[in-house]
Amino acid sequence: DIALYHSKKTGRNISNIYRTGLNQLMEKRRALQADLEKALEEDEFELYYQPRINAKSLEIDSYEALLRWNHPQKGLVSPAEFIPVAEASGLIVDIDNWVFKRACRDAAEGLKGKHLSINVSPLGFQQRDFVKTIEETLEKTGTDPSQIELELTESMLIEDDERGLAVMKQLKRLGLSLALDDFGTGYSSLSYLSKYPFDTIKIDRNFVVALGQEKSAVAIMKVIIGLGKGLGMDIVAEGVETVEEAAFLRENECDQLQGYLISRPMTVEEIMHEVPLDIRCSILRAEPDDKTD
Ligand code: C2E
Ligand code: MG
Ligand code: MG
Ligand code: MG
């Protein structure tokens, strides 16, 4: 039967193609993983810092540390590409420790006196010695804990997470602040906000983008800001790219803004010379804003 013969043949071909594709993908992943291990040994990682400004005064409140991988052949590789692989292999724990150490060193040296926020991976947060490692690094680098905020995500807190809550309380006792990152992308159970001791909510960029696109986004944003502030938290909007977004957020009492409109992530050296940011903020200062006075 010719038809059957053909379908069997094609079926086999498809599964072969599929298998070859999968093998290539796994091969690429393995290579990336080996490269990542080498990157830690060879010191190919770098931290960039993106300013977060006070929405009222437009002064810089703090900086978020963002990891960059300077690959010897590929150049700068984005975290979106390598963090999932590092999570899957467990290497993210070592990478998180490297990031925390480097950021603390920067906080005690080039960025002395400035507030820094540092991202934590779910796997890192789960480590039994997570708090101890952080405490030791703070001590070794002579960093003032009140300079440091940790950015956690909803995905690392399971429902009724007693252990997670205990860890957060220990971190607060050390003097660190805690931010809920990417708010609105996970389950976004509002009970998280009252159950866990967050100081800051970072509203995900998706919500900020939606402001100009969906009518409901405006209502949702106002509710989130009101709720967060009612609970005594600072509200940060992530990924602010347009003057319109910034104007809306400022009018609606969002506390802080972060995004390319204000500044791209910068190196420590760039921050120490602080030239580009003044120019950016003058765009916002030029906004007619007489009503608020
Ligand atoms: P995130 O923590 O939500 O960081 C914000 C991301 O948005 C950063 O991407 C930043 O460069 C980008 N961004 C800032 N302003 C704008 C904007 O106006 N428009 C757009 N389109 N994007 C903007 P990045 O640096 O590529 O990092 C991606 C994610 O990788 C981070 O999301 C964070 O989850 C993770 N990550 C970055 N650095 C670290 C780290 O040191 N440790 C861990 N565990 N994760 C990290
Ligand atoms: Mg973050
Ligand atoms: Mg974020
Ligand atoms: Mg985000």
Side-chain angles (χ1 to χ4, degrees):
D1 183 355
I2 289 177
L4 184 64
Y5 171 77
H6 268 290
S7 79
K8 266 193 181 160
K9 199 177 169 198
T10 346
R12 206 161 30 233
N13 282 347
I14 286 168
S15 86
N16 275 345
I17 290 164
Y18 176 72
R19 214 172 294 136
T20 314
L22 199 66
N23 281 339
Q24 281 173 350
L25 209 71
M26 281 167 65
E27 198 43 58
K28 258 182 101 172
R29 248 181 122 88
R30 260 197 297 272
L32 187 58
Q33 205 168 296
D35 270 9
L36 273 171
E37 278 167 37
K38 229 180 86 207
L40 261 181
E41 289 163 21
E42 315 262 312
D43 212 23
E44 291 167 5
F45 289 116
E46 256 179 278
L47 284 187
Y48 276 57
Y49 291 91
Q50 187 178 35
R52 222 159 85 178
I53 61 167
N54 181 301
K56 285 213 172 78
S57 68
L58 303 179
E59 305 285 340
I60 297 175
D61 268 339
S62 63
Y63 297 84
E64 177 175 4
L66 293 163
L67 187 59
R68 297 292 177 263
W69 178 14
N70 209 342
H71 190 284
Q73 281 92 41
K74 294 186 221 163
L76 275 191
V77 186
S78 148
E81 203 172 313
F82 66 82
I83 283 184
V85 177
E87 279 270 354
S89 68
L91 197 66
I92 192 71
V93 177
D94 293 332
I95 294 177
D96 272 4
N97 287 339
W98 181 90
V99 168
F100 193 77
K101 233 178 252 156
R102 172 58 54 88
C104 281
R105 236 179 52 199
D106 289 339
E109 290 171 16
L111 303 177
K112 198 171 175 65
K114 302 194 189 303
H115 289 110
L116 306 183
S117 65
I118 302 169
N119 290 286
V120 174
S121 71
L123 198 64
F125 185 77
Q126 279 165 25
Q127 299 306 300
R128 287 185 63 178
D129 55 358
F130 178 65
V131 178
K132 196 173 135 241
T133 306
I134 282 179
E135 190 173 11
E136 283 172 1
T137 305
L138 287 170
E139 255 165 44
K140 259 187 224 148
T141 53
T143 306
D144 176 358
S146 71
Q147 265 178 281
I148 306 291
E149 179 177 77
L150 296 180
E151 296 195 5
L152 312 179
T153 54
E154 290 163 290
S155 64
M156 56 183 73
L157 298 165
I158 48 170
E159 200 152 344
D160 290 322
D161 191 342
E162 290 309 322
R163 187 254 169 197
L165 180 61
V167 168
M168 288 174 74
K169 284 181 175 164
Q170 287 173 48
L171 295 169
K172 297 274 300 173
R173 234 174 283 135
L174 290 180
L176 300 164
S177 310
L178 302 175
L180 178 55
D181 199 2
D182 302 331
F183 183 76
T185 56
Y187 298 101
S188 292
S189 155
L190 294 179
S191 65
Y192 274 85
L193 298 181
S194 57
K195 194 182 295 170
Y196 300 106
F198 288 109
D199 302 280
T200 308
I201 303 174
K202 299 191 75 179
I203 301 177
D204 193 70
R205 170 174 151 67
N206 288 333
F207 275 108
V208 177
V209 172
L211 283 176
Q213 296 168 351
E214 297 158 36
K215 224 176 143 197
S216 59
V218 169
I220 292 172
M221 187 66 92
K222 286 182 181 175
V223 168
I224 296 173
I225 293 173
L227 182 68
K229 288 179 86 88
L231 291 167
M233 298 172 191
D234 264 351
I235 315 292
V236 183
E238 293 194 298
V240 179
E241 288 188 358
T242 70
V243 175
E244 290 76 20
E245 288 163 357
F248 173 88
L249 292 160
R250 295 181 75 197
E251 267 163 37
N252 286 281
E253 315 266 308
C254 181
D255 297 294
Q256 295 178 33
L257 312 177
Q258 181 179 352
Y260 295 160
L261 175 71
I262 292 115
S263 170
R264 297 216 164 233
M266 297 184 284
T267 62
V268 173
E269 287 69 34
E270 285 171 320
I271 290 170
M272 288 167 77
H273 298 103
E274 251 181 313
V275 185
L277 193 62
D278 264 10
I279 302 163
R280 296 288 177 121
C281 283
S282 66
I283 303 171
L284 293 176
R285 282 206 181 88
E287 275 300 286
D289 202 17
D290 295 338
K291 278 176 294 180
T292 56
D293 289 326

